[in-house]
Amino acid sequence: MSGTFLTKDSLISKLVQLLTMIALLITAFFSRGCSMDGMRGVLEVQRLPISYAAGLVSGPSMIKAKVRSEDAVLSSRLGAGPVVYYDWTKEREETDSDGDTTWVTVDSASGIVNFSVDDPTGSVVVKANSNTPDIYPTSLPAKYYGNYRESETVIKADAQVLVLGEYNFQQGTIGGSSDRLGIRFTISAHGEKAILASRGWTSVGNMAVAVFSFVFAIGLMLNLFRIHHIMVSSVVVFVTLPPILFLQWTFVTIEQFTLANERVEQYRILVENQNPTDDKKTQLRQGLIKRDAAQTQQLYILYRDRFTN
């Protein structure tokens, strides 16, 4: 009888290990995907140049300009004045039976509107309310009274913002992309640094979760086969893990090179197909843009074909 119970327990233990190993592999695969998305987001910011409004063409674009004050029709809850975006939270401090204190949300509100951004060459409409952008706003000082505190993040009128998104030349708007692999619509009140830091650390964190999940899954698999030698375990991990990480880097890099190549070609064709004008200043500008577009394509091809890439 005892032998039967031991066999049953052993089968249950193996089943639990098998299910845990599958769950860890799924977690590793999902975390790897999230890490690639974060890495892709970092590369988007790094490869896209900041353009003036007058120089934007249809497709993935990035512009740094000032929020038009007339479009700031929302009001900050903490007295920051007119805003185009706010996220307000009211919390109450509570103490549990062990004497530990926590903040519990009792009320919250948020709002965002479409707004225009202006630079010395023109303006662009940011379709913030029509899409779901990643927002890096300005944090206001928290307000404390009694057992309550209020906090708020905002994008103020006349604030300098960096906007990444899909630009529509015909409509003069920038917003989200319908393509799953398209550029992530982003609005930052802190420039590129905040975006790179957030997405970079998110990518690193997800990759760490993926690596640890994969290593533990391999350990459980070896345990199921009763392979307990440390050297065998190390060889299995170090033989499988580096190729996976290398393939991830390769796929993301190839994807970014392909997107960049399409973007350069699209920009060259758009510039070459511009209709000539009678205005001498505009003719000079078009001539310079065509020259720059041709040089950009040549430099990109030279960079793309370098053996180090």
Side-chain angles (χ1 to χ4, degrees):
M1 181 66 70
S2 61
T4 303
F5 281 121
L6 286 174
T7 304
K8 184 177 180 180
D9 289 340
S10 178
L11 290 174
I12 293 176
S13 175
K14 289 182 178 180
L15 180 61
V16 170
Q17 290 185 56
L18 180 62
L19 293 176
T20 303
M21 183 183 69
I22 293 173
L24 286 172
L25 289 175
I26 293 174
T27 301
F29 182 79
F30 178 77
S31 299
R32 183 200 63 86
C34 293
S35 176
M36 289 185 68
D37 288 341
M39 189 186 305
R40 187 180 296 112
V42 169
L43 293 175
E44 285 174 354
V45 178
Q46 291 179 335
R47 72 178 174 85
L48 275 177
I50 298 177
S51 303
Y52 285 109
L56 291 173
V57 296
S58 294
S61 303
M62 180 162 60
I63 181 173
K64 189 173 186 179
K66 185 180 294 186
V67 175
R68 185 178 295 176
S69 58
E70 291 82 4
D71 293 337
V73 296
L74 302 176
S75 297
S76 166
R77 297 291 185 95
L78 295 184
V83 298
V84 295
Y85 165 83
Y86 74 92
D87 186 6
W88 168 81
T89 303
K90 182 178 180 180
E91 299 171 296
R92 181 177 61 241
E93 187 179 25
E94 295 185 354
T95 305
D96 59 19
S97 58
D98 296 328
D100 299 325
T101 60
T102 56
W103 291 96
V104 179
T105 301
V106 295
D107 196 8
S108 63
S110 63
I112 190 169
V113 295
N114 296 337
F115 60 93
S116 297
V117 291
D118 302 312
D119 69 13
T121 68
S123 64
V124 177
V125 177
V126 181
K127 300 176 67 176
N129 192 33
S130 308
N131 298 270
T132 308
D134 294 344
I135 300 179
Y136 298 85
T138 299
S139 299
L140 300 178
K143 179 181 178 182
Y144 292 85
Y145 53 94
N147 292 333
Y148 294 90
R149 74 175 178 187
E150 296 182 31
S151 57
E152 187 178 26
T153 56
V154 299
I155 296 179
K156 302 179 183 179
D158 295 324
Q160 191 86 0
V161 294
L162 184 74
V163 183
L164 289 82
E166 196 78 13
Y167 181 70
N168 187 310
F169 181 76
Q170 301 296 329
Q171 299 179 4
T173 61
I174 188 169
S177 173
S178 57
D179 186 1
R180 188 185 70 85
L181 295 178
I183 188 170
R184 289 163 62 179
F185 184 27
T186 308
I187 305 171
S188 173
H190 302 285
E192 298 180 45
K193 185 181 295 186
I195 304 174
L196 293 174
S198 174
R199 294 180 181 177
W201 283 113
T202 299
S203 178
V204 170
N206 285 321
M207 180 51 64
V209 173
V211 170
F212 282 120
S213 299
F214 178 79
V215 170
F216 282 122
I218 293 297
L220 287 175
M221 182 185 70
L222 294 175
N223 187 60
L224 283 175
F225 290 102
R226 298 184 179 279
I227 301 174
H228 303 293
H229 199 286
I230 187 64
M231 289 300 298
V232 176
S233 303
S234 301
V235 168
V236 171
V237 170
F238 286 111
V239 165
T240 55
L241 194 57
I244 292 175
L245 296 178
F246 176 76
L247 287 175
Q248 168 170 309
W249 174 83
T250 302
F251 289 148
V252 173
T253 303
I254 291 174
E255 177 190 81
Q256 291 300 313
F257 271 128
T258 303
L259 290 174
N261 188 34
E262 293 175 354
R263 181 64 172 158
V264 170
E265 182 64 18
Q266 178 189 17
Y267 182 70
R268 183 188 63 80
I269 294 174
L270 181 65
V271 169
E272 288 184 352
N273 292 337
Q274 284 184 339
N275 295 323
T277 178
D278 296 331
D279 185 19
K280 291 185 177 181
K281 290 185 177 179
T282 306
Q283 288 178 357
L284 176 60
R285 179 176 179 272
Q286 287 181 347
L288 292 174
I289 289 177
K290 286 185 178 181
R291 183 202 64 182
D292 293 342
Q295 289 181 348
T296 300
Q297 186 182 34
Q298 292 173 2
L299 289 172
Y300 173 75
I301 293 174
L302 179 66
Y303 173 75
R304 182 195 63 188
D305 296 338
R306 288 171 58 185
F307 70 91
T308 53
N309 294 326

